[in-house]
């Protein structure tokens, strides 16, 4: 069978991860790059692929089956719209857009054209998350009651050299990092009803937050607390413990997610399952077992899924609508942090067509 030809728009930090993933995934071929950055000619030469001036030029050559969009956030919607209008399936990095309104415009284009849009909340492809979701869905911790999530990632000063990362409404750890946690919470609990939050830029003094905490209340009655900081040192973060991208991050033997249900508890990424052997009471010791896991690189699983989406064999695992819900939750967190008030999360119709707002 012929290789699936993938173009990359944006060959920065995560774009390079995608390029490396394509290189080592059988059946996939990098067919070209769009990126005006100064280092890109060298990258394109090393990969022996054409470097295009813009997306239109890549489309015109007609040798892409699908494109990964890994540009700064503010370009996600215009670039993806151009590709989808040209009939090319897109794997778009998170967040789907800068604003919910823009996200809805993109969903409308995907809806009208019928061209698939997959959003890069790559953790959903991680077998650890798949195993956790299966355990929760099968009731092995009972009804999910609460979760605590920690995400402390100290980022070196060079990280903040890219202007978009410190631009309000575009960068900051809420949109860059916490949105992955929001996606997981949606995946485990369902839709978020309302949020409370606090944020601060006191440590770095940048125009975007460096630290934030949020409490999510879910429509099913569950509650989760989440803390994120890009200026606090600590290994307690999925990125620094799950071993997902060891070319970029060390993998420390600690946990970052703690999920508790009416019948048991589950920590991640170690997949430790805790439950009582006999009577369920805080007076009795809990037993620990590790859920089985067949390790797999989530970026590799994601690109294979994208290939199946391009071939029309699978529907996007992370749809534009789900990614829009993640963004709407981040929006509510920002508003709650500014106002100090419990803030409702904008809701959307549960069924497709994607992006239609709920009437109530
Ligand atoms: N899924 C993940 O794990 C993950 C991790 C990191 C970043 N991201 C997301 O990926 C996106 C990129 O993040 P990054 O950290 O790689 O950023 P980055 O700044 O390192 O890279 C962005 C690249 O886009 C290029 N670019 C700028 N304008 C362009 C244009 N008009 N056309 C094509 N390319 C253009 C830049 O030259 C740069 O090389 C962001 O949306 C970010 O939120 C996702």
């Amino acid at each position: 069978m012929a290789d699936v030809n993938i173009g990359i728009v944006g060959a920065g930090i995560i774009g390079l991860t995608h390029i490396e993933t394509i290189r080592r995934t059988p059946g996939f071929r990098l067919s070209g790059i769009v990126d005006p950055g100064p280092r890109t000619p060298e990258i394109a030469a090393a990969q022996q692929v054409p470097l295009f001036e813009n997306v239109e030029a890549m489309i015109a050559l007609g040798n892409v089956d699908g494109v990964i969009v890994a540009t700064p956030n503010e370009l996600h919607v215009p670039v993806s719209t151009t590709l989808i209008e040209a009939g090319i399936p897109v794997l778009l990095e998170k967040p789907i857009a800068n604003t919910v309104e823009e996200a809805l415009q993109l969903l409308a284009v995907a809806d009208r054209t019928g061209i698939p849009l997959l959003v890069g909340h790559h953790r959903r492809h991680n077998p650890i998350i798949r195993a956790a979701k299966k355990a929760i869905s099968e009731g092995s911790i009972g009804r999910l009651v609460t979760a605590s999530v920690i995400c402390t990632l100290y980022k070196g000063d060079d990280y903040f050299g890219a202007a978009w990362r410190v631009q309000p409404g575009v960068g900051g750890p809420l949109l860059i990092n916490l949105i992955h946690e929001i996606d997981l919470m949606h995946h485990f609990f369902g839709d978020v009803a309302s949020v409370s939050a606090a944020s601060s830029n006191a440590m770095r003094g940048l125009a975007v937050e460096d630290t934030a905490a949020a409490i999510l209340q879910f429509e099913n009655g569950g509650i989760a607390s989440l803390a994120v900081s890009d200026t606090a040192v600590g290994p307690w973060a999925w990125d620094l413990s799950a071993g997902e991208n060891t070319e970029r991050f060390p993998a420390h033997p600690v946990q970052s997610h703690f999920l508790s249900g009416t019948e048991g508890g589950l920590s991640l990424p170690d997949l430790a399952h805790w439950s009582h052997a006999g009577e369920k009471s805080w007076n009795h010791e809990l037993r620990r077992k590790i859920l089985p896991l067949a390790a797999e690189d989530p970026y590799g699983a994601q690109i294979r899924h994208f290939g199946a989406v391009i071939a029309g064999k699978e529907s996007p695992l992370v749809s534009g609508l789900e990614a829009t819900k993640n963004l709407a939750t981040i929006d509510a967190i920002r508003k709650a942090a500014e106002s100090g008030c419990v803030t409702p999360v904008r809701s959307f119709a549960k069924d497709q067509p994607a992006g239609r707002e709920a009437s109530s």
Side-chain angles (χ1 to χ4, degrees):
M1 218 166 64
D3 284 350
V4 184
N5 292 304
I6 304 289
I8 295 267
V9 185
I13 292 181
I14 198 67
L16 288 174
T17 297
H18 289 300
I19 288 172
E20 178 54 25
T21 302
I22 292 165
R23 193 195 59 73
R24 63 176 177 232
T25 307
F28 288 81
R29 199 176 73 83
L30 180 67
S31 57
I33 299 175
V34 180
D35 189 322
R39 289 179 46 239
T40 323
E42 201 184 312
I43 296 166
Q47 298 292 329
Q48 298 179 309
V49 295
L51 173 59
F52 299 101
E53 206 164 309
N54 51 41
V55 179
E56 288 78 4
M58 178 186 263
I59 294 168
L61 197 65
N63 72 338
V64 287
D65 300 313
V67 170
I68 299 176
V69 177
T71 60
N73 296 351
E74 74 268 24
L75 296 172
H76 285 188
V77 170
V79 170
S80 301
T81 300
T82 303
L83 289 161
I84 289 175
E85 288 283 13
I88 298 170
V90 169
L91 165 50
L92 170 59
E93 268 305 342
K94 42 53 64 177
I96 181 170
N98 276 343
T99 66
V100 170
E101 290 313 324
E102 281 181 18
L104 292 177
Q105 286 164 20
L106 179 58
L107 295 200
V109 175
D111 209 20
R112 171 169 53 74
T113 57
I115 300 301
L117 169 67
L118 167 68
V119 182
H121 287 287
H122 66 276
R123 289 186 197 170
R124 295 254 206 124
H125 304 273
N126 192 313
I128 301 171
I129 298 304
R130 278 194 241 129
K133 174 69 179 174
K134 183 167 180 282
I136 293 166
S137 303
E138 288 174 351
S140 84
I141 61 169
R143 194 170 162 200
L144 187 54
V145 177
T146 184
S148 294
V149 177
I150 314 174
C151 179
T152 49
L153 308 155
Y154 185 90
K155 299 178 183 173
D157 291 344
D158 55 335
Y159 178 87
F160 299 94
W164 70 269
R165 295 201 180 111
V166 294
Q167 190 182 328
V170 179
L174 286 177
L175 269 179
I176 295 175
N177 305 106
L178 197 76
I179 198 156
H180 281 302
E181 311 301 354
I182 299 295
D183 183 60
L184 289 188
M185 293 299 106
H186 269 138
H187 193 43
F188 294 148
F189 282 91
D191 287 350
V192 185
S194 65
V195 304
S196 317
S199 71
S200 167
N201 67 349
M203 298 299 159
R204 289 193 187 272
L206 298 172
V208 290
E209 75 284 344
D210 52 54
T211 305
I215 295 173
L216 312 185
Q217 292 187 274
F218 297 90
E219 285 181 359
N220 69 2
I223 295 180
S225 67
L226 303 92
V228 64
S229 177
D230 65 20
T231 190
V233 175
W236 304 284
W238 178 266
D239 310 61
L240 304 185
S241 58
E244 265 189 349
N245 192 348
T246 47
E247 280 145 26
R248 285 184 68 203
F249 304 118
H252 302 91
V254 298
Q255 313 319 319
S256 53
H257 292 63
F258 303 89
L259 305 158
S260 302
T262 51
E263 304 299 326
L266 185 64
S267 58
L268 304 176
D270 67 348
L271 281 172
H273 178 279
W274 295 84
S275 62
H276 287 99
E279 190 192 341
K280 195 170 69 172
S281 160
W282 68 345
N283 302 115
H284 296 284
E285 200 172 337
L286 288 148
R287 276 192 325 192
R288 175 179 182 265
K289 68 174 181 195
I290 300 293
L291 301 184
L293 176 73
E296 187 184 7
D297 167 35
Y299 293 101
Q302 179 175 251
I303 195 79
R304 282 193 295 278
H305 172 61
F306 187 40
V309 167
I310 292 169
K313 293 180 182 155
E314 291 177 15
S315 303
L317 183 63
V318 185
S319 70
L321 179 59
E322 286 182 280
T324 303
K325 288 180 179 180
N326 293 338
L327 188 59
T329 304
I330 291 287
D331 251 12
I333 288 172
R334 281 200 290 227
K335 284 184 190 135
E338 275 164 29
S339 67
C341 298
V342 175
T343 303
V345 175
R346 184 169 167 179
S347 63
F348 304 90
K350 288 195 174 25
D351 51 343
Q352 299 286 0
R356 200 159 289 164
E357 201 164 352
S359 52
S360 58

